[in-house]
Amino acid sequence: MAASSPLARCRSSLEPLLLLLCLLARRHVAAFRGGGGVPPVARPFRAHHVVMSSTQAETDATAPSPPDDDGRPSQRPMWMKCINAVVPPGVRALNEAVAAVANVTRCQANELIEMGAVWAKMETLTDDDVLGQYYDTSSSAAIRYADLPSGWGSGSENDELYNEDEEEETLDEYVERQMALRYRRILTPSTIDPGTDIRVYPHPRRFPSCYDFADQHRLLYEDTTFLVVDKPPMLPTQPEPSNYEECCPGCVNLLMGPFHTITGEEVPRPLLCHRVDSCVGGCVVLSKDGNGQKVFSELQRERKIKKLYLAVTTEPVPLGMHVHWMWGQLNARGQMGGTPCQFVSHTPPASRKKAKAWIRCVLEVVKCEPIAVSKDNEYNYDPGDTQHYQTTIRLVTGRKHQVRAQLASLGCPLIRDTLYEPIAGMTLESLEDEDMEEQMDEALARVRVPTEAIGLQAHAILFAGVRAKARTPWWGDGTG
């Protein structure tokens, strides 16, 4: 490659963010050339107006979608498709409006509303709305979950993602952002003004693992404030845009509740204290009220919460403390764009000034031993004749995809982790090598969000006198 090329100039700058942007730009150019001039993600789509019944477990994410306007197969799964429309003149009942724009019956429209698949555009929010949601001393869990953007007030970002160094959002920042949030989820059949913009997801994403909470043994701990549950893999901790009910708090409340506070009041819906990736099972902490949620967040900031993870790989993970670095801007909560996976650097920043742009990731591998994965596991994983290893990890910091990214960078990706397996052994330092850069480009084209349970479990948690340990992970007890 010529030394004067844009990519070479990026490499010479030694700025990881620019290098990654160059890498992504090449992927988009390739997609543009290979797709007849229109990148697949940019093609318009037409929603296919079919509503699944409320008893159906899940829409298959790989099911064929209606073709796009150009005749090519749609790249989006059905549950991602939404209809943006305006409430017709003379219509004031929300279910009637949904039925009209989505071409469904009123009964089906009611199911969509109650599942949380219908949103309405609100031109203004009152001061009481905004302040009530921020302080949450009396607002309901329904308002909290329906209206708060993903990531606010919920502790960590995905499985091991809480950033202890991240500052809390101020009231002014929250009010400004909340005022800009136009669409709000409508959870009950109600009246609505003609001319209001509405958004309908006619194919809500379903999560059959929700109903694993019918097993009461998944309730690991309960006191007057906290609940700890053993979340099954393939269940989100927070609601999807098209499904408010089938998530960890909703399923726990539906199948294990009702719960009661210390004063005997019924809990409308438990509140989430942190998050765990959908494809990861294990310990999740919920609170019966907003005060418990705040206490847990404070404990996280003070690093007074201890977490243990179990990980399964096909390569042994080196024992000891592992300190790596993530580029801060790609790890920021709510960050859009960039790579879907997290690359890490094994080289510390050259100076304290440069270190401000990086996020330190620390975990300790306490134990790594060969195991035999059960062939009769409920997630249909075939271990074959490959040797597997189970690693016990003590999480010191909590960053976005930290365990997954760090183990992959060591050449030990988790089994079934399709987001990190393609980039195993690759680090940000690899961008300094032109040949390795080409391999990273190809690897990024293969990364996919996992659609099956991966080899990671949030195995145990300890905080404020609370001790909880998840049950045997999906891959078995290691004896085969």
PDB file of all heavy atoms in Angstrom, residues 191-212:
ATOM      1  N   THR A 191     -57.059   6.748  25.134  1.00  0.00           N
ATOM      2  CA  THR A 191     -57.458   7.658  24.064  1.00  0.00           C
ATOM      3  C   THR A 191     -56.228   8.401  23.555  1.00  0.00           C
ATOM      4  O   THR A 191     -55.234   8.545  24.264  1.00  0.00           O
ATOM      5  CB  THR A 191     -58.498   8.672  24.566  1.00  0.00           C
ATOM      6  OG1 THR A 191     -57.939   9.423  25.661  1.00  0.00           O
ATOM      7  CG2 THR A 191     -59.754   7.957  25.016  1.00  0.00           C
ATOM      8  N   ILE A 192     -56.312   8.864  22.335  1.00  0.00           N
ATOM      9  CA  ILE A 192     -55.189   9.568  21.721  1.00  0.00           C
ATOM     10  C   ILE A 192     -55.752  10.580  20.737  1.00  0.00           C
ATOM     11  O   ILE A 192     -56.810  10.363  20.121  1.00  0.00           O
ATOM     12  CB  ILE A 192     -54.240   8.566  21.024  1.00  0.00           C
ATOM     13  CG1 ILE A 192     -52.933   9.242  20.644  1.00  0.00           C
ATOM     14  CG2 ILE A 192     -54.912   7.916  19.808  1.00  0.00           C
ATOM     15  CD1 ILE A 192     -51.838   8.264  20.249  1.00  0.00           C
ATOM     16  N   ASP A 193     -55.082  11.711  20.604  1.00  0.00           N
ATOM     17  CA  ASP A 193     -55.570  12.775  19.731  1.00  0.00           C
ATOM     18  C   ASP A 193     -55.312  12.444  18.266  1.00  0.00           C
ATOM     19  O   ASP A 193     -54.221  11.955  17.921  1.00  0.00           O
ATOM     20  CB  ASP A 193     -54.884  14.099  20.064  1.00  0.00           C
ATOM     21  CG  ASP A 193     -55.259  14.612  21.443  1.00  0.00           C
ATOM     22  OD1 ASP A 193     -56.373  14.292  21.892  1.00  0.00           O
ATOM     23  OD2 ASP A 193     -54.431  15.312  22.062  1.00  0.00           O
ATOM     24  N   PRO A 194     -56.285  12.715  17.393  1.00  0.00           N
ATOM     25  CA  PRO A 194     -56.042  12.560  15.955  1.00  0.00           C
ATOM     26  C   PRO A 194     -54.855  13.426  15.528  1.00  0.00           C
ATOM     27  O   PRO A 194     -54.654  14.520  16.050  1.00  0.00           O
ATOM     28  CB  PRO A 194     -57.347  13.043  15.317  1.00  0.00           C
ATOM     29  CG  PRO A 194     -58.377  12.869  16.394  1.00  0.00           C
ATOM     30  CD  PRO A 194     -57.671  13.136  17.684  1.00  0.00           C
ATOM     31  N   GLY A 195     -54.080  12.913  14.595  1.00  0.00           N
ATOM     32  CA  GLY A 195     -52.913  13.648  14.137  1.00  0.00           C
ATOM     33  C   GLY A 195     -51.638  13.333  14.897  1.00  0.00           C
ATOM     34  O   GLY A 195     -50.558  13.789  14.524  1.00  0.00           O
ATOM     35  N   THR A 196     -51.741  12.539  15.992  1.00  0.00           N
ATOM     36  CA  THR A 196     -50.557  12.167  16.766  1.00  0.00           C
ATOM     37  C   THR A 196     -49.735  11.137  15.999  1.00  0.00           C
ATOM     38  O   THR A 196     -50.283  10.198  15.424  1.00  0.00           O
ATOM     39  CB  THR A 196     -50.966  11.579  18.131  1.00  0.00           C
ATOM     40  OG1 THR A 196     -51.739  12.542  18.846  1.00  0.00           O
ATOM     41  CG2 THR A 196     -49.740  11.190  18.952  1.00  0.00           C
ATOM     42  N   ASP A 197     -48.435  11.323  15.987  1.00  0.00           N
ATOM     43  CA  ASP A 197     -47.548  10.336  15.370  1.00  0.00           C
ATOM     44  C   ASP A 197     -47.434   9.122  16.276  1.00  0.00           C
ATOM     45  O   ASP A 197     -47.191   9.253  17.480  1.00  0.00           O
ATOM     46  CB  ASP A 197     -46.148  10.919  15.152  1.00  0.00           C
ATOM     47  CG  ASP A 197     -46.125  12.015  14.100  1.00  0.00           C
ATOM     48  OD1 ASP A 197     -46.916  11.921  13.146  1.00  0.00           O
ATOM     49  OD2 ASP A 197     -45.337  12.964  14.241  1.00  0.00           O
ATOM     50  N   ILE A 198     -47.601   7.939  15.706  1.00  0.00           N
ATOM     51  CA  ILE A 198     -47.439   6.702  16.470  1.00  0.00           C
ATOM     52  C   ILE A 198     -46.466   5.775  15.755  1.00  0.00           C
ATOM     53  O   ILE A 198     -46.274   5.888  14.549  1.00  0.00           O
ATOM     54  CB  ILE A 198     -48.779   5.973  16.714  1.00  0.00           C
ATOM     55  CG1 ILE A 198     -49.443   5.585  15.395  1.00  0.00           C
ATOM     56  CG2 ILE A 198     -49.705   6.799  17.584  1.00  0.00           C
ATOM     57  CD1 ILE A 198     -50.693   4.727  15.578  1.00  0.00           C
ATOM     58  N   ARG A 199     -45.866   4.914  16.515  1.00  0.00           N
ATOM     59  CA  ARG A 199     -44.924   3.914  15.995  1.00  0.00           C
ATOM     60  C   ARG A 199     -45.372   2.555  16.504  1.00  0.00           C
ATOM     61  O   ARG A 199     -45.529   2.355  17.716  1.00  0.00           O
ATOM     62  CB  ARG A 199     -43.515   4.230  16.453  1.00  0.00           C
ATOM     63  CG  ARG A 199     -42.460   3.231  16.015  1.00  0.00           C
ATOM     64  CD  ARG A 199     -41.080   3.715  16.409  1.00  0.00           C
ATOM     65  NE  ARG A 199     -40.743   4.966  15.725  1.00  0.00           N
ATOM     66  CZ  ARG A 199     -39.782   5.796  16.126  1.00  0.00           C
ATOM     67  NH1 ARG A 199     -39.081   5.517  17.204  1.00  0.00           N
ATOM     68  NH2 ARG A 199     -39.543   6.902  15.448  1.00  0.00           N
ATOM     69  N   VAL A 200     -45.559   1.616  15.588  1.00  0.00           N
ATOM     70  CA  VAL A 200     -46.073   0.290  15.934  1.00  0.00           C
ATOM     71  C   VAL A 200     -45.097  -0.782  15.448  1.00  0.00           C
ATOM     72  O   VAL A 200     -44.662  -0.746  14.282  1.00  0.00           O
ATOM     73  CB  VAL A 200     -47.463   0.043  15.304  1.00  0.00           C
ATOM     74  CG1 VAL A 200     -47.993  -1.341  15.693  1.00  0.00           C
ATOM     75  CG2 VAL A 200     -48.445   1.129  15.722  1.00  0.00           C
ATOM     76  N   TYR A 201     -44.759  -1.691  16.334  1.00  0.00           N
ATOM     77  CA  TYR A 201     -43.958  -2.869  15.956  1.00  0.00           C
ATOM     78  C   TYR A 201     -44.928  -4.038  15.782  1.00  0.00           C
ATOM     79  O   TYR A 201     -45.376  -4.621  16.776  1.00  0.00           O
ATOM     80  CB  TYR A 201     -42.927  -3.194  17.028  1.00  0.00           C
ATOM     81  CG  TYR A 201     -41.831  -2.163  17.148  1.00  0.00           C
ATOM     82  CD1 TYR A 201     -41.994  -1.030  17.947  1.00  0.00           C
ATOM     83  CD2 TYR A 201     -40.634  -2.318  16.467  1.00  0.00           C
ATOM     84  CE1 TYR A 201     -40.987  -0.088  18.054  1.00  0.00           C
ATOM     85  CE2 TYR A 201     -39.617  -1.371  16.569  1.00  0.00           C
ATOM     86  CZ  TYR A 201     -39.805  -0.260  17.371  1.00  0.00           C
ATOM     87  OH  TYR A 201     -38.810   0.683  17.476  1.00  0.00           O
ATOM     88  N   PRO A 202     -45.297  -4.389  14.553  1.00  0.00           N
ATOM     89  CA  PRO A 202     -46.326  -5.407  14.357  1.00  0.00           C
ATOM     90  C   PRO A 202     -45.846  -6.823  14.642  1.00  0.00           C
ATOM     91  O   PRO A 202     -46.654  -7.730  14.769  1.00  0.00           O
ATOM     92  CB  PRO A 202     -46.706  -5.250  12.877  1.00  0.00           C
ATOM     93  CG  PRO A 202     -45.482  -4.678  12.243  1.00  0.00           C
ATOM     94  CD  PRO A 202     -44.847  -3.811  13.277  1.00  0.00           C
ATOM     95  N   HIS A 203     -44.533  -7.018  14.768  1.00  0.00           N
ATOM     96  CA  HIS A 203     -43.976  -8.350  15.041  1.00  0.00           C
ATOM     97  C   HIS A 203     -43.085  -8.279  16.274  1.00  0.00           C
ATOM     98  O   HIS A 203     -41.858  -8.267  16.159  1.00  0.00           O
ATOM     99  CB  HIS A 203     -43.156  -8.873  13.859  1.00  0.00           C
ATOM    100  CG  HIS A 203     -43.832  -8.735  12.540  1.00  0.00           C
ATOM    101  ND1 HIS A 203     -44.695  -9.680  12.041  1.00  0.00           N
ATOM    102  CD2 HIS A 203     -43.778  -7.740  11.612  1.00  0.00           C
ATOM    103  CE1 HIS A 203     -45.141  -9.279  10.861  1.00  0.00           C
ATOM    104  NE2 HIS A 203     -44.605  -8.113  10.580  1.00  0.00           N
ATOM    105  N   PRO A 204     -43.642  -8.179  17.461  1.00  0.00           N
ATOM    106  CA  PRO A 204     -42.801  -8.044  18.663  1.00  0.00           C
ATOM    107  C   PRO A 204     -41.797  -9.181  18.779  1.00  0.00           C
ATOM    108  O   PRO A 204     -42.106 -10.336  18.469  1.00  0.00           O
ATOM    109  CB  PRO A 204     -43.822  -8.101  19.809  1.00  0.00           C
ATOM    110  CG  PRO A 204     -45.120  -7.694  19.193  1.00  0.00           C
ATOM    111  CD  PRO A 204     -45.082  -8.213  17.792  1.00  0.00           C
ATOM    112  N   ARG A 205     -40.618  -8.846  19.218  1.00  0.00           N
ATOM    113  CA  ARG A 205     -39.592  -9.856  19.444  1.00  0.00           C
ATOM    114  C   ARG A 205     -39.958 -10.653  20.694  1.00  0.00           C
ATOM    115  O   ARG A 205     -40.233 -10.075  21.745  1.00  0.00           O
ATOM    116  CB  ARG A 205     -38.227  -9.202  19.628  1.00  0.00           C
ATOM    117  CG  ARG A 205     -37.084 -10.198  19.647  1.00  0.00           C
ATOM    118  CD  ARG A 205     -35.758  -9.473  19.774  1.00  0.00           C
ATOM    119  NE  ARG A 205     -34.647 -10.394  19.658  1.00  0.00           N
ATOM    120  CZ  ARG A 205     -33.374 -10.051  19.781  1.00  0.00           C
ATOM    121  NH1 ARG A 205     -33.066  -8.787  20.024  1.00  0.00           N
ATOM    122  NH2 ARG A 205     -32.418 -10.949  19.671  1.00  0.00           N
ATOM    123  N   ARG A 206     -39.968 -11.965  20.587  1.00  0.00           N
ATOM    124  CA  ARG A 206     -40.399 -12.816  21.689  1.00  0.00           C
ATOM    125  C   ARG A 206     -39.225 -13.565  22.308  1.00  0.00           C
ATOM    126  O   ARG A 206     -38.229 -13.853  21.627  1.00  0.00           O
ATOM    127  CB  ARG A 206     -41.463 -13.801  21.216  1.00  0.00           C
ATOM    128  CG  ARG A 206     -42.662 -13.159  20.523  1.00  0.00           C
ATOM    129  CD  ARG A 206     -43.367 -12.130  21.402  1.00  0.00           C
ATOM    130  NE  ARG A 206     -43.887 -12.691  22.618  1.00  0.00           N
ATOM    131  CZ  ARG A 206     -45.108 -13.232  22.752  1.00  0.00           C
ATOM    132  NH1 ARG A 206     -45.921 -13.273  21.713  1.00  0.00           N
ATOM    133  NH2 ARG A 206     -45.511 -13.712  23.907  1.00  0.00           N
ATOM    134  N   PHE A 207     -39.338 -13.868  23.592  1.00  0.00           N
ATOM    135  CA  PHE A 207     -38.266 -14.513  24.347  1.00  0.00           C
ATOM    136  C   PHE A 207     -38.833 -15.678  25.148  1.00  0.00           C
ATOM    137  O   PHE A 207     -39.288 -15.504  26.287  1.00  0.00           O
ATOM    138  CB  PHE A 207     -37.593 -13.504  25.262  1.00  0.00           C
ATOM    139  CG  PHE A 207     -36.968 -12.356  24.525  1.00  0.00           C
ATOM    140  CD1 PHE A 207     -37.669 -11.176  24.324  1.00  0.00           C
ATOM    141  CD2 PHE A 207     -35.689 -12.465  24.003  1.00  0.00           C
ATOM    142  CE1 PHE A 207     -37.107 -10.120  23.631  1.00  0.00           C
ATOM    143  CE2 PHE A 207     -35.108 -11.416  23.306  1.00  0.00           C
ATOM    144  CZ  PHE A 207     -35.821 -10.235  23.119  1.00  0.00           C
ATOM    145  N   PRO A 208     -38.803 -16.881  24.593  1.00  0.00           N
ATOM    146  CA  PRO A 208     -39.370 -18.029  25.291  1.00  0.00           C
ATOM    147  C   PRO A 208     -38.680 -18.347  26.603  1.00  0.00           C
ATOM    148  O   PRO A 208     -39.293 -18.922  27.512  1.00  0.00           O
ATOM    149  CB  PRO A 208     -39.209 -19.179  24.286  1.00  0.00           C
ATOM    150  CG  PRO A 208     -38.141 -18.739  23.349  1.00  0.00           C
ATOM    151  CD  PRO A 208     -38.258 -17.252  23.262  1.00  0.00           C
ATOM    152  N   SER A 209     -37.399 -17.965  26.755  1.00  0.00           N
ATOM    153  CA  SER A 209     -36.708 -18.252  28.015  1.00  0.00           C
ATOM    154  C   SER A 209     -37.291 -17.465  29.180  1.00  0.00           C
ATOM    155  O   SER A 209     -37.003 -17.773  30.339  1.00  0.00           O
ATOM    156  CB  SER A 209     -35.212 -17.957  27.880  1.00  0.00           C
ATOM    157  OG  SER A 209     -35.000 -16.630  27.436  1.00  0.00           O
ATOM    158  N   CYS A 210     -38.115 -16.490  28.891  1.00  0.00           N
ATOM    159  CA  CYS A 210     -38.824 -15.755  29.952  1.00  0.00           C
ATOM    160  C   CYS A 210     -39.540 -16.714  30.887  1.00  0.00           C
ATOM    161  O   CYS A 210     -39.517 -16.551  32.113  1.00  0.00           O
ATOM    162  CB  CYS A 210     -39.821 -14.786  29.319  1.00  0.00           C
ATOM    163  SG  CYS A 210     -41.005 -14.038  30.466  1.00  0.00           S
ATOM    164  N   TYR A 211     -40.122 -17.733  30.324  1.00  0.00           N
ATOM    165  CA  TYR A 211     -40.999 -18.612  31.097  1.00  0.00           C
ATOM    166  C   TYR A 211     -40.222 -19.661  31.897  1.00  0.00           C
ATOM    167  O   TYR A 211     -40.818 -20.446  32.622  1.00  0.00           O
ATOM    168  CB  TYR A 211     -42.036 -19.225  30.156  1.00  0.00           C
ATOM    169  CG  TYR A 211     -42.780 -18.107  29.459  1.00  0.00           C
ATOM    170  CD1 TYR A 211     -42.418 -17.689  28.182  1.00  0.00           C
ATOM    171  CD2 TYR A 211     -43.775 -17.393  30.120  1.00  0.00           C
ATOM    172  CE1 TYR A 211     -43.036 -16.612  27.575  1.00  0.00           C
ATOM    173  CE2 TYR A 211     -44.408 -16.312  29.517  1.00  0.00           C
ATOM    174  CZ  TYR A 211     -44.039 -15.929  28.248  1.00  0.00           C
ATOM    175  OH  TYR A 211     -44.651 -14.851  27.654  1.00  0.00           O
ATOM    176  N   ASP A 212     -38.875 -19.607  31.790  1.00  0.00           N
ATOM    177  CA  ASP A 212     -38.054 -20.427  32.682  1.00  0.00           C
ATOM    178  C   ASP A 212     -38.175 -19.948  34.119  1.00  0.00           C
ATOM    179  O   ASP A 212     -37.855 -20.686  35.053  1.00  0.00           O
ATOM    180  CB  ASP A 212     -36.585 -20.382  32.253  1.00  0.00           C
ATOM    181  CG  ASP A 212     -36.329 -21.130  30.951  1.00  0.00           C
ATOM    182  OD1 ASP A 212     -37.264 -21.802  30.461  1.00  0.00           O
ATOM    183  OD2 ASP A 212     -35.209 -21.036  30.413  1.00  0.00           O
TER     184      ASP A 212
END
